[in-house]
Amino acid sequence: FSIHQPSMKMLSLFDKIMLMAETRCVYFGTLDDSIPFFKGQGFPLPDRVNPADYYMSVLSSGTLDSRLALSEKMESAFKSGAEKDSTDIPLGKLEKDPSNAT
């Protein structure tokens, strides 16, 4: 299931998060690893800000053209492993598979 812009308390309960923008998966991994990933893309997380709120703001601001360009750039960085990530599970195997339990 999905949760749109969860509270920090709810967000901290997840082992991994998936962030999508303009139909692209721009990040999949741990919340802790998302912070250096976004920083590496030029979006450092401000102090005392809920990461979900900040990521939604980053990924949904601007014109359609700028959002498409940003989502393409971030998807490319995510896929190429520009930052340390924990995406060793192919996206197609995310369904209930006991070997992928976290």
Side-chain angles (χ1 to χ4, degrees), residues 25-102:
C25 177
V26 298
Y27 179 79
F28 175 71
T30 66
L31 178 60
D32 288 342
D33 287 344
S34 71
I35 296 167
F37 175 78
F38 270 78
K39 182 177 182 179
Q41 300 307 306
F43 302 102
L45 181 66
D47 291 337
R48 301 180 189 196
V49 173
N50 177 340
D53 291 337
Y54 182 65
Y55 297 154
M56 285 296 298
S57 176
V58 166
L59 297 172
S60 64
S61 296
T63 65
L64 177 58
D65 287 341
S66 67
R67 291 192 316 269
L68 288 170
L70 177 62
S71 65
E72 185 175 338
K73 173 189 170 223
M74 298 216 29
E75 179 187 48
S76 177
F78 165 69
K79 285 183 174 179
S80 70
E83 294 290 333
K84 176 183 177 261
D85 64 36
S86 54
T87 58
D88 53 352
I89 301 171
L91 294 181
K93 292 192 69 170
L94 290 177
E95 296 186 21
K96 292 183 182 181
D97 179 345
S99 67
N100 291 333
T102 54

Side-chain angles (χ1 to χ4, degrees), residues 6-33:
S7 68
M8 189 60 202
K9 183 176 179 179
M10 178 69 77
L11 189 61
S12 67
L13 297 175
F14 288 90
D15 294 326
K16 294 187 180 179
I17 59 172
M18 177 182 284
L19 302 174
M20 298 188 70
E22 305 302 330
T23 72
R24 298 174 187 273
C25 177
V26 298
Y27 179 79
F28 175 71
T30 66
L31 178 60
D32 288 342
D33 287 344

